[in-house]
């Protein structure tokens, strides 16, 4: 149902510099992007860990300018649909909801083993990782960034970044009022650099 996927259709024809269809297909395949057609043509963004286990599936609706209009998670949508039909919830769903942390790995983490030599660019949200890949190139060349995302500004922490052992990592926080996002991520560098074999730096490109 990619023809109903507003985000994907925006990439094809509505952004200022539309991308090649082949590149969009490659990004869809790399990150396993899906469509929830019944949810306003939303894009499904799976968080898959190094062991190829799906930890969470974020569901985002976008307008035609590719701005987020609504965010949900697939388990919440499924729960609502079961309840609307008056059906019992499957055993896994209440057990999953009991997890204090739903997004417990990086977006794109499953790709790390496929590209072991690439430096990693770490951004806040999956949309940024997708745009980064499209603008700066797929990671099929070792010198290019492999773009991953943490989920949101406050989600950057050592536990989530342990998957980046041995990697060169550049942080790209979003722009924010008074540079608060940059300050927050910059303050975490020392702790992040305790991860075995990893080297974390932060880019001031957006700030400047």
């Amino acid at each position: 149902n990619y023809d109903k996927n507003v985000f994907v259709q925006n990439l094809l024809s509505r952004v200022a510099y539309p991308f090649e269809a082949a590149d969009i297909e490659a990004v869809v395949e790399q990150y396993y992007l899906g469509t929830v057609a019944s949810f306003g043509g939303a894009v499904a963004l799976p968080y898959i860990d190094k062991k190829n286990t799906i930890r969470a599936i974020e569901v985002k609706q976008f307008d035609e300018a590719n701005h987020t209009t609504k965010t949900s998670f697939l388990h919440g949508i499924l729960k609502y649909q079961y309840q609307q039909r008056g059906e019992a919830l499957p055993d896994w769903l209440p057990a999953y909801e009991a997890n204090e942390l739903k997004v417990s790995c990086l977006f794109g983490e499953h790709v790390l083993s496929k590209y072991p030599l690439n430096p990693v660019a770490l951004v806040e949200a999956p949309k940024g990782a997708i745009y980064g890949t499209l603008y700066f190139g797929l990671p099929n060349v070792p010198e290019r960034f492999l773009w991953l995302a943490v989920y949101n500004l406050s989600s950057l922490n050592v536990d989530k970044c342990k998957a980046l052992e041995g990697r060169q990592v550049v942080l790209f926080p979003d722009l924010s009022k008074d540079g608060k996002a940059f300050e927050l991520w910059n303050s975490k560098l020392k702790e992040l650099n305790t991860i075995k074999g990893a080297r974390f730096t932060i880019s001031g490109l957006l700030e400047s």
Side-chain angles (χ1 to χ4, degrees):
N1 289 320
Y2 291 109
D3 59 316
K4 298 181 178 70
N5 190 313
V6 176
F7 180 74
V8 171
Q9 293 305 311
N10 287 342
L11 297 179
L12 280 167
S13 60
R14 299 189 191 110
V15 296
Y17 302 96
F19 302 105
E20 296 294 331
D23 290 341
I24 295 170
E25 287 176 12
V27 166
V28 165
E29 182 179 357
Q30 175 167 298
Y31 294 112
Y32 293 108
L33 305 183
T35 306
V36 186
S38 61
F39 200 67
V43 61
L45 303 159
Y47 289 76
I48 307 170
D49 67 17
K50 272 186 166 181
K51 298 177 181 177
N52 282 317
T53 300
I54 300 172
R55 300 283 192 90
I57 300 179
E58 189 178 15
V59 177
K60 275 185 170 285
Q61 287 175 282
F62 288 91
D63 61 21
E64 292 194 355
N66 247 3
H67 297 135
T68 303
T69 58
K70 189 171 184 179
T71 300
S72 186
F73 281 87
L74 194 60
H75 70 274
I77 295 171
L78 290 172
K79 181 180 180 179
Y80 175 77
Q81 291 176 343
Y82 277 111
Q83 290 172 334
Q84 288 294 102
R85 295 194 298 263
E87 298 176 6
L89 299 179
D91 291 342
W92 69 266
L93 191 43
Y96 181 78
E97 284 193 308
N99 291 329
E100 185 178 348
L101 187 64
K102 304 296 190 300
V103 181
S104 53
C105 71
L106 300 169
F107 175 78
E109 183 176 311
H110 64 284
V111 189
L112 284 166
S113 59
K114 185 177 180 181
Y115 301 105
L117 302 178
N118 296 64
V120 172
L122 197 56
V123 296
E124 291 182 28
K127 175 183 171 182
I130 292 163
Y131 268 89
T133 304
L134 287 169
Y135 276 117
F136 295 101
L138 290 155
N140 49 8
V141 177
E143 293 77 27
R144 290 181 187 161
F145 278 126
L146 174 59
W147 291 82
L148 308 183
V150 294
Y151 169 53
N152 61 20
L153 178 65
S154 60
S155 294
L156 179 67
N157 58 58
V158 168
D159 281 345
K160 189 174 283 188
C161 290
K162 283 179 180 175
L164 300 175
E165 282 189 2
R167 307 294 290 239
Q168 299 287 319
V169 184
V170 181
L171 307 179
F172 289 91
D174 284 359
L175 282 173
S176 62
K177 190 175 181 179
D178 302 324
K180 295 295 184 184
F182 182 89
E183 288 178 16
L184 177 63
W185 278 26
N186 192 47
S187 71
K188 297 188 177 186
L189 277 181
K190 185 176 180 181
E191 188 180 10
L192 290 169
N193 276 311
T194 63
I195 295 172
K196 184 179 179 182
R199 181 171 181 270
F200 285 78
T201 57
I202 190 166
S203 172
L205 177 65
L206 295 178
E207 300 296 317
S208 60

